[in-house]
Amino acid sequence: TEELIIQSEKLSVIGQLAAGVAHEIKNPLAILSGFVQFMQEEHISDEYTTIMLTEINRMNRILEEYMQLARVKQFTYEEVDLSGLVKETLLLMEAFASLSNISIKNGIQDDCRIRGDSNSLKQVFINLIKNAVEASPKGSQVEVSVKRISEGYAIIEVKDEGHGLDKDQLKKLGEPFFTTKDKGTGLGLMVSFKIIDQHNGEVTVTSEPNKGTVFSVKLPKLPKKSS
Ligand code: ADP
Ligand code: MG
């Protein structure tokens, strides 16, 4: 079993560039997409336009996740009902999971309230549950739990019985564009780790190839850092 505590140094690199570049690329891409769609409707070289549209869509997906980074900065810290938020996310992801016949178990044990940015935190839980479901074989289970480990901290865990990660893959988690999926962007975890870091929290990943993976997010009740 491999274990890794995510370091925050990895997080800062790409962040600042995000907003401007993404916006600049989105517009020409939309124009390009329009013309290629037109070519497809007119049946001008069908074979090539299909490939072009697939690639344009891929660029769009990357840009959209990339642009989330920019939004991460505008945090508003408020009182968050963490258990309620996790439960909400869990229900939201149930439909997605059931498409692959995967059940999501509600393992929420404690009622936890923290100070944080609820939209960003929800984004993190969606990312983690989505990844867990995507790594899981049909018929397996993903368990999501919330525990209060002491007065000052809560732990949210997302556990799957999926394909897991080897040592090298584990090291790459959170690096921009690291993905093992055909339609992945490799940005979900980078964004998620950054959000947790901004809450002065910590992510620990434990994984065993072919057995499963646990993402464990430790969040302080009060984020001390003011960033
Ligand atoms: P994406 O989901 O678009 O690939 P992420 O940043 O969300 O990007 O995840 C990066 C990579 O980390 C995934 O492609 C996958 O290889 C690996 N990964 C993330 N979560 C899990 C998990 N629960 N089990 C196995 N591998 C995972
Ligand atoms: Mg993902």
Side-chain angles (χ1 to χ4, degrees), residues 65 127-128 130-136 158 160 162-165 169 172-175 177-181 183-192 207 212-215:
E65 285 204 39
N127 278 332
L128 294 182
K130 188 162 176 277
N131 280 342
V133 169
E134 286 168 345
S136 294
V158 180
D160 66 59
H163 54 64
L165 294 143
Q169 291 172 328
K172 294 202 176 106
L173 287 185
E175 277 179 17
F177 309 117
F178 168 65
T179 183
T180 55
K181 299 168 192 170
K183 293 198 169 171
T185 63
L187 291 170
L189 283 182
M190 180 179 66
V191 172
S192 301
S207 189
T213 305
V214 183
F215 276 79

Side-chain angles (χ1 to χ4, degrees), residues 26 35 38 57-58 82-83 96 102-103 125 137 139 168 183 214 219 223:
K26 273 220 118 182
F35 277 113
F38 170 76
N57 286 337
R58 180 173 157 69
L82 192 64
S83 308
F96 174 71
I102 290 160
S103 60
F125 305 139
D168 290 332
K183 293 198 169 171
V214 183
L219 281 173

Side-chain angles (χ1 to χ4, degrees), residues 3-63:
E3 188 171 295
L4 183 81
I5 297 175
I6 305 303
Q7 318 257 299
S8 56
E9 294 93 275
K10 230 187 232 173
L11 311 170
S12 58
V13 200
I14 298 284
Q16 285 87 339
L17 285 165
V21 175
H23 273 291
E24 289 310 311
I25 295 176
K26 273 220 118 182
N27 292 329
L29 210 53
I31 293 167
L32 207 58
S33 173
F35 277 113
V36 176
Q37 265 164 31
F38 170 76
M39 285 167 73
Q40 200 166 50
E41 276 154 26
E42 299 292 310
H43 299 290
I44 303 167
S45 105
D46 274 339
E47 204 182 332
Y48 296 131
T49 50
T50 305
I51 297 171
M52 286 164 86
L53 277 179
T54 307
E55 295 304 317
I56 288 173
N57 286 337
R58 180 173 157 69
M59 286 193 265
N60 260 322
R61 275 200 309 276
I62 290 175
L63 287 178

